[in-house]
Amino acid sequence: MSRVGSKNTTPELIVRSLVHRLGFRFRLHYRKLPGKPDLAFPGRKKVIFVHGCFWHGHKNCSKGRLPKSNIEVWDLKIARNRERDRAIQRAVKRIGWSVLVVWQCELRTVSKLETRLLRFLSQP
């Protein structure tokens, strides 16, 4: 697991490219906020977290299923990840920022994701 990257993952690169093409500029892994969001828009007070379906326990997603071996270990690990994600999102919202979570499986339909990103980033 130590070789699993937490920054610059393929899903994150796709989202960054899409947001940049839409004309928005952002900060990467913004250290001034809890959890160092993948993309931060300080002028808009908005952040985007890009989550891998497996590592963050996406419900009702084929990529979010647990392995068949060592179930207890994986279940505990994913549960801790999900709780940490919720705590970070609450902390970011508490200081007045808006949060959007983009799941890895949402990258299959780029047009829907583009609409969702544009709607989120265009809101005042």
Side-chain angles (χ1 to χ4, degrees):
M1 283 188 287
S2 64
R3 291 186 180 183
V4 177
S6 62
K7 293 181 180 177
N8 303 320
T9 62
T10 302
E12 184 183 328
L13 293 175
I14 292 169
V15 172
R16 284 171 22 189
S17 173
L18 186 56
V19 169
H20 194 268
R21 264 189 282 135
L22 291 172
F24 296 98
R25 299 303 175 257
F26 47 86
R27 301 275 180 239
L28 293 176
H29 314 293
Y30 199 54
R31 292 175 186 237
K32 294 180 181 179
L33 291 175
K36 296 186 231 170
D38 297 314
L39 285 81
F41 304 83
R44 299 173 185 277
K45 292 189 96 174
K46 295 180 184 266
V47 298
I48 297 176
F49 289 99
V50 182
H51 287 339
C53 294
F54 174 75
W55 294 106
H56 295 269
H58 192 198
K59 297 284 185 187
N60 303 320
C61 175
S62 62
K63 294 182 179 187
R65 279 185 268 164
L66 293 175
K68 293 184 183 195
S69 61
N70 218 354
I71 294 171
E72 297 82 22
V73 171
W74 284 109
D75 193 33
L76 180 62
K77 175 158 186 55
I78 301 301
R80 280 194 314 242
N81 287 352
R82 294 181 76 198
E83 182 53 41
R84 183 195 65 228
D85 292 341
R86 281 191 294 272
I88 288 170
Q89 289 172 29
R90 279 192 304 265
V92 171
K93 287 177 183 177
R94 202 175 303 123
I95 58 176
W97 288 60
S98 299
V99 175
L100 177 69
V101 174
V102 175
W103 291 96
Q104 174 185 2
C105 63
E106 292 177 318
L107 300 176
R108 289 184 212 143
T109 53
V110 176
S111 59
K112 282 185 184 178
L113 178 59
E114 184 175 318
T115 303
R116 189 170 168 227
L117 290 168
L118 198 54
R119 189 176 303 129
F120 174 72
L121 293 170
S122 298
Q123 292 174 349

